Amino acid sequence: MERELTGTGMTAGEHALLDALRSGGPRTVPQLARSMGLDRQPVQRWVNHAAELGLVVTAPNPAHRRSSLIELTTEGAAAIHGIQEFEATELRRRLADLPTEDVRTTLHVLDRLGEEFRHLANGSHVPSENVDINDK
């Protein structure tokens, strides 16, 4: 990822911020921090730097006077789109020799692991699918 961001002035954290805004739309810094599973302070730093780069702007929040909404600019949307296009192309190139079913299985396992980690972080539990890994 660092190679992809070379010359953009963005950090990996700002990449994650832009991706969160692209996928979830405008939100406040506290909302962004919660959705990213992070403290507010680093997210605020990323927002400040992304604003300096012209990638995000603050907008009035009708639900809360003192907590502005953060939204992508046209330049920010183009930047995250370009980075994600590069990532997708590179990933397809690197995985071209793997059977499609192997990729599907891997994605399923990663999704499940992500669910478990999210639930561990908030103290809940995901019911198991009652699958014995030795059956696969």
Side-chain angles (χ1 to χ4, degrees), residues 7-74:
T8 66
M10 274 193 287
T11 66
E14 289 152 5
H15 170 278
L17 169 73
L18 296 187
D19 184 47
L21 289 168
R22 183 204 53 78
S23 63
R27 285 174 278 166
T28 65
V29 169
Q31 289 169 333
L32 284 163
R34 276 192 300 278
S35 74
M36 297 169 80
L38 299 168
D39 290 332
R40 188 189 59 74
Q41 292 81 1
V43 175
Q44 183 65 63
R45 284 192 296 273
W46 297 335
V47 165
N48 294 346
H49 189 244
E52 290 172 13
L53 296 173
L55 303 173
V56 300
V57 292
T58 58
N61 181 354
H64 194 284
R65 250 183 328 157
R66 292 179 28 192
S67 188
S68 298
L69 292 173
I70 310 304
E71 56 187 38
L72 287 172
T73 62
T74 302

